[in-house]
Amino acid sequence: MGEEKKKFIVESERKSFDIKHRSTIRFNMSKYEQAFEKGLSQFTDLEAIKQKVANIKRTALQDWDVYLEQFEQQITQNGAQVLWASDAQEALSHIDAIMQKHHAKMVVKSKSMTTEEIELNAHLEHQQIEVVETDLGEYIVQVAGEKPYHIVTPAMHKSKEDVAELFNQHFNTPIESTPQELTQFVREKLRDKFTHADVGITGGNFLVADIGAVALTENEGNGLMTTAFPKVHVAIVGIEKIIPSFKDLNYIWPTLAAHGTGQNITSYSSLFRGPKQEGETDGPESMYVILLDNGRSQLFTKPEQSRALACIRCGACLNVCPVYRNIGGYTYNSTYSGPIGSVITPHYNGFGVFQHLSFASTLCGKCTEVCPVKIDLHDLLLLNRQEAVQNNSDWVWDIAMKGYQGMMQNRFWMDAVPGNVMNVGIKTVLKGKWGKYKLFPKFSRQSFSQQYKKAEKIKHNNNDGRRI
Ligand code: SF4
């Protein structure tokens, strides 16, 4: 068994029985559920808008090379520089070159899972560059020395008391501080960072091909400040985020907001089309867009699994997943967790290492039901499982399963081993593998077939040979 898989199993069991973790997640999820219901109620025909958004994303992906080039051409005309990165290493090299060119010593960042994917913070800190997360949830996990727990709500695993305690330890704020007081504290702290940062780094929710824009949506205004104060703006965006037209945002933005946070529309929705133009007073003097592949074109070659590239990272599938809700975000040990993470991580980070995530699902289908871009997540998980099984063909296992199949199809062999022997056998074979909290199934002494035959015989005898 691979190391990642072993860690996953151990951590899943630990988290599932961590009562505090469970109650914090339940509480925070219940807030989301109420907002989610309300957010969806804005649509008179939810299925129609989901189909529309799914069509937009599929159209974009069918010709993503054309749209990406159009995006590059448009934004370059406005003075931005587009840099292509085939993997994390290349993206980090581009960042290094930008930091050196602009003599950067401090960076402010708005929330971006793409930068998590390339482990940007650790890389910059290693270069002695200060990195400050400016989204409140991201700031909390940064102070705690953790990674985001959830793709939309990074600090979902922390209660308000946890945050008060964390800030008390790090900044000596009163332990009884309210969320409002702590938010005010962070706001004041960050203001200074925004005005002194050399570079602002953001992700991007979408790349808009026809107008050459990076579309960014956020709730705290920190994304706007990250791009307004520093002289340099760097956007790092996955190439699958391309959409054909500005008009598509009419459908995509409300759909993302409703599914992500239950809002009608996210508080701040911005379009960045290049650096400050002549005569403009605000904005960065230089803008770079790093287009990250990092496994996406590899996934694109798989006709079925490539449907996962349509994801708009709303997080809804994580929130409804019974596995995610019990084992939590960190157990996956990957940038993207939950159902969508289990589908794409093996393709992005190495199939052999992460294929066990394909089995981290009950296949209940709730993820597919809520997905605003109609990705059939549970089907894709099954396809990953199929690939995992094919990749790990083991002749001993195959012969054993063939033998088992033969026995199960033959009544004589099915009844050959008495139930009490099977009860001892299963405990011996699965010792240490079954998990200490699960009960072993209990086989009855005789099979149903044997019991039925026996009952029939008794009835027959009792009725002098007359059948009822
Ligand atoms: S797969 Fe669908 S539900 Fe899950 S994060 Fe992506 S868009 Fe949202």
Side-chain angles (χ1 to χ4, degrees):
M1 198 191 292
E3 274 309 304
E4 272 298 326
K5 183 175 173 182
K6 256 193 238 163
K7 262 197 279 175
F8 180 81
I9 291 172
V10 170
E11 198 50 24
S12 300
E13 188 169 301
R14 198 179 70 76
K15 273 290 174 218
S16 302
F17 290 90
D18 179 339
I19 303 297
K20 181 175 181 292
H21 172 259
R22 191 182 281 210
S23 76
T24 306
I25 294 305
R26 292 243 161 114
F27 177 77
N28 289 338
M29 286 283 189
S30 70
K31 300 260 174 225
Y32 166 80
E33 280 156 11
Q34 290 162 15
F36 180 63
E37 285 304 317
K38 198 164 156 265
L40 294 192
S41 68
Q42 71 177 292
F43 303 112
T44 46
D45 189 342
L46 179 62
E47 275 313 299
I49 186 112
K50 281 167 74 170
Q51 193 58 59
K52 176 79 186 167
V53 175
N55 290 345
I56 291 169
K57 284 297 294 179
R58 304 240 150 89
T59 308
L61 289 170
Q62 264 165 21
D63 290 310
W64 66 345
D65 50 341
V66 177
Y67 290 122
L68 283 165
E69 276 178 17
Q70 189 185 5
F71 165 82
E72 181 179 22
Q73 202 183 23
Q74 292 292 331
I75 201 162
T76 306
Q77 273 175 16
N78 277 339
Q81 194 178 338
V82 174
L83 303 160
W84 297 77
S86 58
D87 56 19
Q89 206 44 55
E90 202 176 347
L92 293 174
S93 305
H94 288 317
I95 297 274
D96 286 347
I98 295 167
M99 296 297 143
Q100 277 159 20
K101 183 175 170 192
H102 296 280
H103 310 288
K105 290 272 167 276
M106 200 219 291
V107 164
V108 281
K109 274 183 71 210
S110 78
K111 188 183 164 327
S112 154
M113 292 310 288
T114 317
T115 60
E116 293 295 332
E117 198 180 319
I118 61 171
E119 304 198 354
L120 180 63
N121 290 15
H123 179 80
L124 289 176
E125 280 158 10
H126 188 69
Q127 321 275 330
Q128 314 297 325
I129 295 172
E130 187 187 355
V131 189
V132 184
E133 292 288 351
T134 63
D135 169 273
L136 182 58
E138 288 281 350
Y139 184 76
I140 292 168
V141 289
Q142 188 184 32
V143 171
E146 297 170 3
K147 291 188 168 187
Y149 178 90
H150 184 286
I151 60 174
V152 177
T153 39
M156 182 190 255
H157 58 308
K158 295 203 184 293
S159 63
K160 59 183 193 308
E161 292 79 16
D162 292 335
V163 179
E165 195 184 323
L166 177 76
F167 279 38
N168 170 265
Q169 282 166 4
H170 284 264
F171 307 117
N172 209 22
T173 48
I175 190 82
E176 62 282 356
S177 299
T178 63
Q180 289 74 15
E181 285 164 345
L182 293 176
T183 306
Q184 185 57 32
F185 170 79
V186 175
R187 190 172 283 158
E188 281 161 20
K189 226 172 160 38
L190 289 182
R191 186 59 60 133
D192 178 60
K193 301 289 181 191
F194 281 125
T195 50
H196 287 92
D198 305 298
V199 176
I201 298 183
T202 68
N205 297 87
F206 306 101
L207 298 163
V208 189
D210 63 349
I211 57 164
V214 175
L216 187 72
T217 176
E218 38 112 11
N219 270 316
E220 296 169 16
N222 63 305
L224 270 176
M225 304 234 271
T226 299
T227 53
F229 285 112
K231 289 201 162 68
V232 182
H233 172 202
V234 183
I236 308 175
V237 192
I239 52 176
E240 85 286 13
K241 297 286 180 73
I242 192 77
I243 56 168
S245 171
F246 170 63
K247 292 183 200 142
D248 298 329
L249 292 170
N250 278 334
Y251 306 98
I252 297 184
W253 261 341
T255 310
L256 174 60
H259 286 79
T261 48
Q263 293 164 284
N264 284 3
I265 191 81
T266 313
S267 307
Y268 301 93
S269 297
S270 315
L271 291 165
F272 302 105
R273 300 184 60 210
K276 183 164 71 174
Q277 305 292 301
E278 223 179 288
E280 288 180 349
T281 48
D282 298 320
E285 286 163 13
S286 307
M287 179 179 177
Y288 302 87
V289 183
I290 299 178
L291 297 179
L292 182 71
D293 184 329
N294 209 28
R296 287 155 173 87
S297 23
Q298 165 64 19
L299 182 55
F300 187 70
T301 61
K302 310 216 165 203
E304 279 112 355
Q305 282 108 316
S306 63
R307 294 198 287 269
L309 289 168
C311 173
I312 56 172
R313 304 277 188 267
C314 72
C317 60
L318 282 66
N319 300 339
V320 297
C321 176
V323 174
Y324 183 91
R325 291 168 73 110
N326 279 291
I327 67 173
Y330 291 142
T331 306
Y332 293 79
N333 200 23
S334 57
T335 306
Y336 304 104
S337 55
I340 185 62
S342 296
V343 170
I344 62 176
T345 303
H347 299 282
Y348 285 8
N349 295 13
F351 208 93
V353 184
F354 285 98
Q355 60 191 4
H356 59 275
L357 294 183
S358 321
F359 298 85
S361 167
T362 61
L363 300 179
C364 67
K366 195 74 186 156
C367 49
T368 300
E369 195 184 308
V370 295
C371 178
V373 275
K374 294 183 148 300
I375 302 173
D376 48 342
L377 288 152
H378 69 294
D379 289 332
L380 301 187
L381 283 167
L382 269 176
L383 283 167
N384 276 5
R385 285 186 191 186
Q386 191 182 39
E387 199 171 323
V389 171
Q390 281 161 359
N391 286 351
N392 290 290
S393 178
D394 172 348
W395 66 269
V396 178
W397 175 261
D398 289 348
I399 290 175
M401 289 313 288
K402 274 266 174 263
Y404 179 70
Q405 186 185 16
M407 280 175 71
M408 290 297 106
Q409 287 171 340
N410 183 303
R411 170 55 55 197
F412 172 80
W413 285 112
M414 269 183 85
D415 294 345
V417 185
N420 50 352
V421 177
M422 287 204 278
N423 284 331
V424 176
I426 196 169
K427 285 183 187 162
T428 312
V429 173
L430 294 178
K431 196 169 175 222
K433 295 180 186 146
W434 193 248
K436 62 181 177 211
Y437 297 100
K438 269 192 289 178
L439 293 177
F440 279 101
K442 194 159 190 294
F443 298 98
S444 64
R445 288 178 74 85
Q446 292 183 315
S447 72
F448 175 75
S449 163
Q450 288 167 323
Q451 290 179 43
Y452 184 78
K453 278 185 195 151
K454 197 168 154 190
E456 279 291 287
K457 202 167 161 189
I458 293 168
K459 251 191 256 170
H460 183 80
N461 292 341
N462 287 349
N463 288 292
D464 291 323
R466 280 180 288 113
R467 290 185 65 88
I468 298 170

